[in-house]
């Protein structure tokens, strides 16, 4: 002990230093908590702003401007009943009896200035309703008919001032209004936003996802099983593992270049077909499936393997009867997340020609098609203001599909998950 040192002298000094450090630590924890809560609040605010912006603009995308036209079908001279108007020839029968002229004349009587802006094919909406209910031929009905794009643009306050005045007058009279357009989900792409729909692109996305899943899932799962359960641990397997991890981080446009160089060289007549798109996207998500599959297989307790082997199961039976069923929730979750990523991809599909204007839904896997993200990209590049709302509506549909896929991943994980 040093001269002049009193043991009790260091106690208060050390206690004060300890209390100071403790206060500093608590203060740092409070700052960290505040910073974390602030980051979460900013993220939620940005997400809310994004969703509200898309929703506000997208609501108009599910609508179109229509004109209310009273049509006297009882005195039109058109005949028909449930028997004669049954089947696919009902529309042709009504056309042959002069329904287009009847609808056009009714629009002229209503307002000659507005009649010239009714779409030429608007009579088909009337024909479809008559085919669904032939009793309408004995009545006078008011039909809401779609108008041309320039009048629809004037209804929104843009375009020709003269048309804006006409639209304002018709709106004040209750003859022109924006109504829900159920056909948006049933039609394909068109040059006019009033006629555009997303069914063609959505069907193309569905066909593409089917090809992607059929190719990527079995190959990815079998590759994960082999690497985790059978492959020897040597330099070659290390190279394969590193390559798979690197492929999972490769930009998607690289896979588009690969599809352009390989698949379109082998199948030049299948440009912009869902088959080529599915093969390209399968290459992109396969590394993700392999990685998630290996992690899911690795998470199965070793006691499951040892117990199955001890009871006399062969190595193949252990893998396919015990390991794979228990790892299935993780594998399915990774697969669906990879599929959701593929559904939202645009860049690789642009390179293989899926940006073509496709006015009809694809008939099969080899028909020309486009997909929903590419359709959104093409509409966002249009000058016509009406496509802005259609773009937002298509984004809403894409987000709903992605949410459904993620929800299914959560459901499957919770349904098949085993706890030890």
């Amino acid at each position: 002990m040093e001269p002049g040192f009193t043991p009790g002298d260091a106690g208060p000094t050390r206690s004060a230093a300890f209390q100071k450090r403790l206060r500093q630590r608590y203060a740092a924890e409070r700052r960290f908590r505040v910073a974390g809560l602030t980051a979460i609040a900013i993220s939620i605010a940005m997400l809310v702003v994004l969703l509200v912006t898309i929703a506000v603009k997208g609501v108009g995308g599910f609508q179109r401007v229509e004109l209310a036209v009273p049509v006297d079908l009882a005195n039109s001279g058109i005949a028909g009943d449930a028997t004669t108007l049954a089947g696919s020839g009902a529309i042709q029968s009504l056309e042959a009896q002069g329904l287009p002229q009847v609808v056009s004349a009714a629009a002229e009587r209503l307002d000659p200035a507005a009649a010239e802006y009714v779409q030429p094919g608007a009579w088909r909406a009337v024909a479809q309703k008559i085919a669904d209910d032939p009793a309408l031929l004995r009545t006078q009905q008011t039909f809401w008919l779609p108008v041309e794009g320039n009048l629809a643009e004037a209804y929104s306050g843009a375009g020709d001032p003269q048309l804006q005045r006409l639209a304002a007058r018709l709106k004040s009279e209750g003859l022109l209004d924006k109504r829900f357009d159920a056909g948006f989900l049933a039609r394909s792409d068109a040059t006019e936003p009033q006629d555009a729909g997303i069914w063609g692109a959505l069907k193309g996305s569905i066909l593409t996802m089917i090809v992607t899943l059929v190719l990527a899932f079995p190959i990815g799962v079998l590759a994960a099983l082999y690497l985790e359960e059978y492959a020897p641990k040597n330099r070659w397997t290390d190279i394969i593992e590193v390559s798979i991890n690197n492929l999972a981080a490769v930009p998607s446009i690289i896979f588009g270049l690969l599809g352009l160089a390989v698949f379109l060289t082998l199948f030049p007549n299948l440009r912009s077909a869902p088959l080529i798109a599915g093969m390209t996207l399968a290459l992109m998500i396969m590394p993700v499936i392999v990685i998630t599959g290996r992690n899911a297989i690795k998470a199965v307790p070793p006691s499951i393997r040892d117990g199955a082997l001890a009871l006399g199961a062969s190595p193949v039976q252990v893998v396919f009867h015990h390991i794979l069923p228990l790892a299935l929730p993780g594998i399915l979750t990774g697969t669906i997340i990879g599929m959701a990523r593929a559904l939202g991809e645009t860049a690789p599909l642009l390179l293989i020609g899926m940006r073509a204007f496709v006015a009809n839904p694809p008939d099969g896997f080899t028909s020309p098609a486009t997909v929903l993200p590419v359709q959104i990209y093409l509409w966002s590049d249009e000058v016509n203001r009406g496509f802005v709302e259609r773009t937002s509506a298509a984004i809403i549909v894409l987000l709903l599909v992605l949410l459904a896929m993620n929800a299914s991943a959560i459901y499957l994980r919770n349904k098949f998950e085993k706890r030890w």
Side-chain angles (χ1 to χ4, degrees), residues 309-329:
L309 291 172
L311 292 174
S314 67
V316 174
Q317 290 175 327
V318 170
V319 170
F320 287 96
H321 294 177
H322 300 278
I323 304 300
L324 186 58
L326 295 176
L328 190 60

Side-chain angles (χ1 to χ4, degrees), residues 7-8 23 63 65 67 82 84 89 137 147 162-163 165 204 207 230 241 269 280 286 324 365 402:
R23 287 193 299 270
Q63 300 173 323
V65 180
L67 180 69
T84 58
L137 289 174
V147 299
Q162 184 176 354
L163 281 181
R165 290 191 294 270
L207 294 176
Y230 297 106
E241 291 179 7
N269 297 326
T280 303
M286 203 177 299
L324 186 58
F365 296 103
L402 292 175

Side-chain angles (χ1 to χ4, degrees), residues 69-154:
V69 178
V71 182
D72 187 4
L73 295 173
N75 299 315
S76 63
I78 300 176
D81 53 30
T83 303
T84 58
L85 296 179
S88 58
I91 306 297
Q92 290 79 1
S93 174
L94 292 171
E95 182 180 11
Q97 295 186 63
L99 182 61
Q101 292 76 18
V102 171
V103 174
S104 178
E108 284 284 346
R109 287 193 299 269
L110 173 68
D111 193 312
E116 60 178 299
Y117 295 103
V118 176
Q119 289 187 359
W123 66 270
R124 294 183 179 275
V126 180
Q128 187 60 54
K129 291 184 178 181
I130 295 174
D132 295 336
D133 184 10
L136 294 176
L137 289 174
R138 298 188 296 272
T139 64
Q140 178 176 340
Q141 294 288 327
T142 297
F143 297 95
W144 288 89
L145 305 180
V147 299
E148 296 285 356
N150 46 7
L151 184 58
E153 189 175 4

Side-chain angles (χ1 to χ4, degrees), residues 204-220:
S205 293
I206 294 172
L207 294 176
T208 299
M209 290 300 101
I210 291 174
V211 175
T212 303
L213 181 63
V214 168
L215 292 177
F217 182 73
I219 297 176

Side-chain angles (χ1 to χ4, degrees), residues 1-263:
M1 183 177 297
E2 298 180 1
F5 177 80
T6 303
D9 294 344
T13 303
R14 292 181 179 179
S15 178
F18 173 76
Q19 293 295 333
K20 181 179 179 181
R21 290 195 302 271
L22 190 62
R23 287 193 299 270
Q24 291 175 347
R25 186 176 68 183
Y26 287 161
E29 290 179 356
R30 286 193 297 270
R31 289 194 298 270
F32 179 77
R33 188 182 301 111
V34 170
L37 292 175
T38 303
I40 293 174
I42 293 174
S43 302
I44 293 176
M46 293 296 101
L47 179 61
V48 169
V49 170
L50 174 64
L51 294 178
V52 169
T53 302
I54 294 176
V56 170
K57 293 183 177 179
V59 168
F62 291 100
Q63 300 173 323
R64 67 175 176 179
V65 180
E66 296 177 342
L67 180 69
V69 178
V71 182
D72 187 4
L73 295 173
N75 299 315
S76 63
I78 300 176
D81 53 30
T83 303
T84 58
L85 296 179
S88 58
I91 306 297
Q92 290 79 1
S93 174
L94 292 171
E95 182 180 11
Q97 295 186 63
L99 182 61
Q101 292 76 18
V102 171
V103 174
S104 178
E108 284 284 346
R109 287 193 299 269
L110 173 68
D111 193 312
E116 60 178 299
Y117 295 103
V118 176
Q119 289 187 359
W123 66 270
R124 294 183 179 275
V126 180
Q128 187 60 54
K129 291 184 178 181
I130 295 174
D132 295 336
D133 184 10
L136 294 176
L137 289 174
R138 298 188 296 272
T139 64
Q140 178 176 340
Q141 294 288 327
T142 297
F143 297 95
W144 288 89
L145 305 180
V147 299
E148 296 285 356
N150 46 7
L151 184 58
E153 189 175 4
Y155 179 88
S156 302
D160 187 1
Q162 184 176 354
L163 281 181
Q164 291 184 38
R165 290 191 294 270
L166 174 62
R169 177 175 64 80
L170 294 173
K171 181 180 179 181
S172 64
E173 296 173 358
L175 299 176
L176 193 66
D177 195 11
K178 211 168 189 180
R179 297 165 56 86
F180 176 72
D181 180 21
F184 176 70
L185 300 175
R187 296 189 300 268
S188 297
D189 196 9
T191 55
E192 288 289 337
Q194 286 278 97
D195 301 326
I198 63 167
W199 172 237
L202 185 58
K203 186 177 180 182
S205 293
I206 294 172
L207 294 176
T208 299
M209 290 300 101
I210 291 174
V211 175
T212 303
L213 181 63
V214 168
L215 292 177
F217 182 73
I219 297 176
V221 172
L222 291 176
L225 284 173
Y226 175 78
L227 290 174
E228 196 61 34
E229 296 293 330
Y230 297 106
K233 305 301 179 183
N234 53 32
R235 181 180 299 177
W236 291 110
T237 54
D238 291 340
I239 293 175
I240 292 173
E241 291 179 7
V242 171
S243 300
I244 292 174
N245 292 329
N246 289 333
L247 284 174
V250 168
S252 59
I253 196 170
I254 303 300
F255 293 98
L257 292 172
L258 180 62
L260 177 64
V262 177
F263 298 141

